[in-house]
Amino acid sequence: MIEVRDGLNSPRLQGGREEGEVSQSPFPDKYHMRNTRVLRVSKAQISEVPMEVLEAAQQELVNIVSLDGNTLREMPKDLHLLAEQLTQLILTKNQISFVPTNISQYSKLTDLNLSGNLLCDLPMELGGLRLLRNLDISHNRFRQLPRCIYELESLESLSAHDNQIRAIDASDSGFGGMRELHSLDLGNNDIQIVPPIMGQMRNLRSLELCGNPFRQPRHQILSMGTEAVLSYLRTRIPI
């Protein structure tokens, strides 16, 4: 009996390959996505994701997409097909220069990794991701932290190291209002001053500031760990 299959799993694919020949497609088939709920394509030099791949991912209830180490210049245009089911989106080490405003549709996202791209801003709509816990925007081109980040009410971890960020907003409308933030990495930026009121962020368990040009706190204090840094900053708050 001849097995009839179609779509991503057809024995006769584009280019006239017959059954038994190995597919050169870097994309996982629907059976793999069904078993793992993951769409992962790593270091394959892809510049786009075909709509049929994302349609299959939608049908197989994929909730993790990882496209690291490719040549994407933007988020895949049909990725919105997965907007209501994605919990993790990893776009590390691509050539992405902007994030579309429809990012707010990805309401179940808990983890978003945009590190190693060409970003210098993020849309205000990103602040609507109420479940986002982990955000990585390191190794980009940010000169300041986008205001939308301060709207992420569930954010626990922010990695923004290796950018050109020049200032820290530790006020109540900035980091000071982020009650769930436990880990903050601002290392290797252009920060000139660490505001003393940052010492009041007692919920921080991990704070990384090394590799910036500010003079205080000195490296000796930084090397003593987060609690020592926060304690020092509290002593600098004007009475």
Side-chain angles (χ1 to χ4, degrees):
M1 179 180 297
I2 298 176
E3 182 181 7
V4 178
R5 291 180 288 172
D6 56 13
L8 294 176
N9 305 283
S10 173
R12 187 186 296 273
L13 300 173
Q14 288 185 353
R17 285 192 299 269
E18 301 291 340
E19 187 170 11
E21 292 188 49
V22 177
S23 170
Q24 298 302 311
S25 172
F27 300 101
D29 63 34
K30 67 180 183 181
Y31 301 109
H32 180 81
M33 290 190 283
R34 181 180 303 168
N35 291 330
T36 65
R37 302 287 172 86
V38 176
L39 167 55
R40 176 177 287 112
V41 183
S42 180
K43 300 177 182 178
Q45 297 297 304
I46 62 166
S47 58
E48 60 183 17
V49 180
M51 183 173 66
E52 57 266 27
V53 172
L54 292 168
E55 287 176 338
Q58 180 187 41
Q59 294 170 4
E60 304 306 338
L61 303 178
V62 162
N63 57 19
I64 297 174
V65 169
S66 179
L67 303 172
D68 63 289
N70 289 291
T71 58
L72 298 171
R73 294 184 179 274
E74 59 184 1
M75 289 175 56
K77 61 181 182 296
D78 296 310
L79 188 64
H80 63 87
L81 293 172
L82 306 179
E84 296 182 1
Q85 58 201 59
L86 275 192
T87 59
Q88 297 182 41
L89 177 57
I90 302 166
L91 297 172
T92 311
K93 295 181 180 178
N94 279 280
Q95 299 170 19
I96 297 170
S97 59
F98 73 98
V99 173
T101 56
N102 72 356
I103 189 69
S104 59
Q105 298 175 11
Y106 296 74
S107 58
K108 293 183 179 179
L109 269 187
T110 61
D111 296 80
L112 177 59
N113 194 329
L114 299 168
S115 65
N117 280 285
L118 306 175
L119 296 166
C120 59
D121 201 4
L122 295 173
M124 284 302 299
E125 287 79 1
L126 189 139
L129 298 178
R130 299 304 179 193
L131 300 182
L132 195 67
R133 297 199 303 265
N134 303 294
L135 175 62
D136 192 338
I137 58 170
S138 59
H139 291 281
N140 274 283
R141 297 180 176 180
F142 293 97
R143 292 182 177 272
Q144 60 185 11
L145 282 169
R147 299 301 305 178
C148 61
I149 288 176
Y150 306 125
E151 303 296 323
L152 296 169
E153 57 189 33
S154 298
L155 198 67
E156 299 175 4
S157 173
L158 172 63
S159 294
H161 59 85
D162 291 278
N163 282 284
Q164 296 118 41
I165 297 166
R166 297 176 176 177
I168 298 174
D169 183 356
S171 69
D172 287 343
S173 61
F175 286 128
M178 301 180 72
R179 305 306 177 192
E180 301 301 321
L181 191 64
H182 300 320
S183 177
L184 176 60
D185 190 343
L186 295 172
N188 295 326
N189 277 285
D190 294 330
I191 297 168
Q192 305 291 322
I193 297 174
V194 180
I197 59 171
M198 200 169 190
Q200 296 177 337
M201 296 176 61
R202 297 176 185 268
N203 51 318
L204 277 182
R205 299 172 192 161
S206 176
L207 174 62
E208 180 59 63
L209 294 171
C210 289
N212 283 282
F214 58 77
R215 296 185 178 182
Q216 299 290 343
R218 295 184 177 180
H219 179 75
Q220 182 180 5
I221 295 174
L222 295 178
S223 66
M224 295 170 64
T226 298
E227 185 51 47
V229 172
L230 297 179
S231 179
Y232 168 81
L233 290 172
R234 287 194 291 270
T235 69
R236 308 281 291 187
I237 298 175
I239 297 176

